[in-house]
């Protein structure tokens, strides 16, 4: 079972700050996989939609 640790999140941030997209995607997918393995399928889906950009196609709710 995969565990999301502070190191994982730190590495994700470092990859982003360094502009290393490949490394960033590896850590982002690892986090999505960890959520999925933990039964948090909705969370994994949200992360994957952010990674591939399909979240832009979803409808949004606007609150006034």
């Amino acid at each position: 079972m995969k565990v999301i640790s502070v190191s994982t999140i730190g590495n994700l941030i470092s990859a982003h700050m360094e502009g290393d997209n490949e490394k960033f995607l590896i850590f982002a997918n690892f986090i999505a996989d960890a959520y999925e393995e933990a039964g948090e399928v909705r969370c994994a889906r949200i992360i994957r939609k952010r990674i591939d950009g399909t979240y832009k196609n979803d409808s949004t709710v606007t609150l006034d």
Side-chain angles (χ1 to χ4, degrees):
M1 184 168 153
K2 295 177 176 148
V3 177
I4 303 169
S5 67
V6 172
S7 295
T8 304
I9 294 172
N11 287 330
L12 178 75
I13 293 167
S14 293
H16 170 70
M17 297 301 290
E18 294 165 6
D20 189 340
N21 288 334
E22 183 179 350
K23 188 176 176 182
F24 180 83
L25 289 174
I26 288 169
F27 283 105
N29 282 309
F30 177 88
I31 292 168
D33 290 344
Y35 273 113
E36 197 168 60
E37 285 181 12
E40 298 288 341
V41 178
R42 183 175 178 273
C43 294
R45 191 174 341 124
I46 289 169
I47 292 169
R48 289 199 172 99
K49 283 182 165 217
R50 289 290 176 159
I51 290 170
D52 65 18
T54 58
Y55 73 94
K56 295 175 186 176
N57 301 329
D58 292 343
S59 59
T60 58
V61 176
T62 304
L63 301 174
D64 290 331

